């Protein structure tokens, strides 16, 4: 027998779900990590014969290793506004609760504390990358870098004065400055994030798309979020975005409800980066039309949770409820896991580094303890069985969660700060 290869980490699990190829499960396998990257996924016996690891993590026989989840829509710092008001319409919620609270509270320090708390929550539930949009994006970028998460942080652009910018033009200028700061960063990058059609002028959209093309940036936009947004204007938002040249491969469109068949066909033909799934009947039709679907939690102020597993399960349940015996379609849990991992990574332009467990990619992965037996179909157990627990999380091979406890930040300190902000 030849000399063993020295590696940094071997993670031993009952199941390994690489996501790519689709629907594959490796049983009794080991993920081998060196220099922060995956170098092999092999049977246990092969790993023991071939590799000499500095650290071996032996998960119990009920664990599945999956790629770190990719949360494709978040307002991270809004963890500090969690449950401030529920059960009202969107515009009532924004105008009478959220915007006044933000005017009174939001500072760079506030955003950094809220974003750190969000990163802690996301890591504990198996998310290793996220797509964000909020004020003081420089603070969110620092929080992501500190916790080892991958992030596309949106510079917010809106036609009114905010705590971060006096105008939409200033928001663009500050966003581009932040892009210059992070353009060579390993894990954190910047996008331009016009808030929504009803808060951004034609002129700002035109400038955003010009800069996005020149600097190869993603554009993160709320679009068709409510019926009011669609019906209260003469020109439907999708038609306006088409006229302004926004529907391109750079666009990450969030929500996308109340769509006509013609609009779905148009969106599919434009090849936009992704539609982020807001659970609705339109999602299945968008996917059927060939649009890349991803999954996001939205902000904790509206969702009350940043747990992607809850969103995956909700998407599956709503899709099931929309099916009829005559449809001839079924909910494929493996595809939902793809929507929450590799699809998001592709939309963010980072699929060469994350989103699936493959040789040469970063070791961004989560260990999920399956708490339901027997296991006939692992994907079903992962998606529908709500008693599972994320016990370990790694980003670039570095442990961020061990035995259900964060090891990269002091969560109790973050909670204490959040309590003070709430007062």
């Amino acid at each position: 027998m030849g000399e063993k290869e020295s590696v940094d980490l071997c993670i031993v699990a009952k199941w390994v779900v690489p996501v790519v190829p689709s629907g594959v499960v490796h049983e009794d396998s080991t993920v081998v990590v060196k220099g922060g990257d995956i170098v092999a996924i092999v049977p246990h016996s092969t790993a023991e014969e071939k590799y000499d690891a500095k650290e071996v993590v032996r998960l119990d026989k009920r664990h599945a290793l999956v790629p770190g989840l990719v949360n494709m829509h978040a307002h991270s710092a809004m963890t500090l506004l969690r449950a401030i008001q529920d059960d009202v319409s969107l515009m009532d919620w924004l105008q009478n609760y959220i915007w006044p609270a933000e005017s009174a509270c939001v500072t760079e320090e506030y955003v950094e504390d809220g974003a750190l708390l969000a990163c802690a929550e996301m890591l504990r539930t198996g998310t290793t990358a996220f797509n964000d949009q909020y004020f003081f994006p420089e603070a969110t970028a620092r929080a992501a870098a500190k916790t080892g998460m991958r992030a596309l942080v949106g510079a917010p652009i809106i036609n009114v004065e905010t705590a971060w910018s006096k105008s939409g033009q200033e928001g663009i200028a500050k966003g581009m400055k932040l892009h210059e700061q992070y353009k060579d960063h390993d894990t954190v990058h910047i996008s331009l994030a016009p808030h929504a059609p009803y808060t951004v002028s034609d002129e700002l959209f035109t400038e955003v798309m010009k800069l996005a093309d020149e600097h190869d940036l993603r554009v993160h936009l709320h679009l068709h979020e409510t019926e009011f947004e669609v019906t209260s204007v003469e020109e439907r938002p999708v038609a306006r975005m088409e006229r302004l040249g926004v529907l391109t491969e750079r666009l990450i469109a969030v929500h996308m409800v109340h769509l006509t068949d013609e609009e779905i066909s148009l969106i599919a033909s434009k090849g936009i980066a992704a539609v982020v799934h807001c659970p609705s009947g339109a999602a299945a039709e968008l996917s059927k039309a060939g649009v890349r679907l991803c999954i996001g939690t939205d902000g904790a102020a509206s969702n009350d949770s940043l747990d992607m597993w809850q969103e995956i399960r909700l998407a599956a349940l709503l899709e099931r409820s929309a099916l009829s015996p005559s449809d001839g379609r079924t909910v494929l849990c493996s595809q939902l896991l793809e929507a929450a991992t590799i699809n998001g990574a592709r939309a963010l332009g980072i699929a060469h580094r994350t989103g699936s467990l493959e040789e040469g990619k970063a070791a961004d992965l989560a260990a999920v303890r399956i708490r339901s037996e027997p296991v006939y179909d692992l994907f079903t157990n992962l998606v529908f069985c709500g008693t599972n627990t994320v016990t370990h999380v790694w980003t670039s091979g570095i442990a961020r969660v061990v035995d259900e406890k964060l090891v990269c930040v002091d969560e109790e300190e973050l909670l204490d700060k959040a309590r003070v902000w709430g007062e």
Side-chain angles (χ1 to χ4, degrees), residues 357-368:
L357 304 183
E358 299 180 74
E359 291 182 18
K361 286 193 176 186
D364 297 349
L365 64 168
V368 182

Side-chain angles (χ1 to χ4, degrees), residues 157-161 166-168 197-204:
I157 297 160
I158 190 168
N159 265 105
V160 299
E161 183 175 353
K166 294 180 180 179
S167 66
Y198 58 88
T199 55
V200 178
S201 67
D202 285 8
E203 293 74 19
L204 285 179

Side-chain angles (χ1 to χ4, degrees), residues 39-56:
V39 296
I41 300 173
V42 294
H44 299 333
S45 57
T46 302
E48 291 175 354
E49 293 172 2
K50 189 173 179 180
Y51 298 103
D52 180 20
K54 296 176 184 176
E55 180 185 7
V56 177

Side-chain angles (χ1 to χ4, degrees), residues 200-211:
V200 178
S201 67
D202 285 8
E203 293 74 19
L204 285 179
F205 273 120
T206 300
E207 180 68 11
V208 163
M209 297 312 297
K210 177 176 179 290
L211 289 169

Side-chain angles (χ1 to χ4, degrees), residues 36-253:
D37 289 350
I38 297 169
V39 296
I41 300 173
V42 294
H44 299 333
S45 57
T46 302
E48 291 175 354
E49 293 172 2
K50 189 173 179 180
Y51 298 103
D52 180 20
K54 296 176 184 176
E55 180 185 7
V56 177
V57 176
R58 297 185 184 279
L59 302 168
D60 70 29
K61 62 183 179 180
R62 302 188 195 283
H63 272 88
L65 284 172
V66 301
L69 304 180
V70 181
N71 184 347
M72 278 298 292
H73 183 58
H75 307 289
S76 296
M78 295 184 86
T79 50
L80 298 180
L81 294 173
R82 192 192 310 264
I84 192 170
Q85 180 63 47
D86 289 324
D87 304 319
V88 295
S89 70
L90 174 66
M91 296 313 296
D92 185 10
W93 181 76
L94 287 172
Q95 293 173 351
N96 296 316
Y97 300 96
I98 296 301
W99 289 342
E102 289 175 334
S103 296
C105 299
V106 171
T107 63
E108 188 168 345
E109 181 184 8
Y110 180 95
V111 171
E112 188 159 359
D113 286 347
L116 280 169
L117 186 61
C119 289
E121 182 176 346
M122 287 190 279
L123 284 169
R124 276 195 294 99
T125 50
T127 293
T128 58
F130 66 102
N131 181 38
D132 204 75
Q133 181 189 123
Y134 203 62
F135 309 114
F136 297 99
E138 60 270 37
T140 301
R142 287 196 299 270
K146 182 176 180 178
T147 55
M149 296 190 73
R150 298 181 193 277
L152 184 64
V153 181
I157 297 160
I158 190 168
N159 265 105
V160 299
E161 183 175 353
T162 70
W164 186 64
S165 64
K166 294 180 180 179
S167 66
Q169 284 292 346
E170 185 180 6
I172 291 174
K174 294 178 81 170
M176 294 309 300
K177 183 178 179 180
L178 196 59
H179 162 65
E180 286 299 313
Q181 181 181 341
Y182 279 92
K183 66 181 181 180
D184 297 320
H185 198 279
D186 286 342
T187 56
V188 179
H189 297 93
I190 306 302
S191 70
L192 295 177
H195 174 256
Y198 58 88
T199 55
V200 178
S201 67
D202 285 8
E203 293 74 19
L204 285 179
F205 273 120
T206 300
E207 180 68 11
V208 163
M209 297 312 297
K210 177 176 179 290
L211 289 169
D213 285 340
E214 289 175 357
H215 296 272
D216 193 21
L217 301 178
R218 290 291 194 268
V219 175
H220 183 182
L221 171 69
H222 300 93
L223 184 58
H224 274 237
E225 185 171 4
T226 66
E227 186 176 16
F228 173 80
E229 175 193 335
V230 177
T231 60
S232 63
V233 292
E234 291 185 7
E235 185 179 21
R236 287 174 67 90
V238 164
R240 181 173 164 228
M241 294 302 99
E242 160 68 356
R243 173 172 60 81
L244 295 172
V246 177
L247 302 183
T248 76
E249 72 282 357
R250 303 195 181 284
L251 178 64
I252 298 170

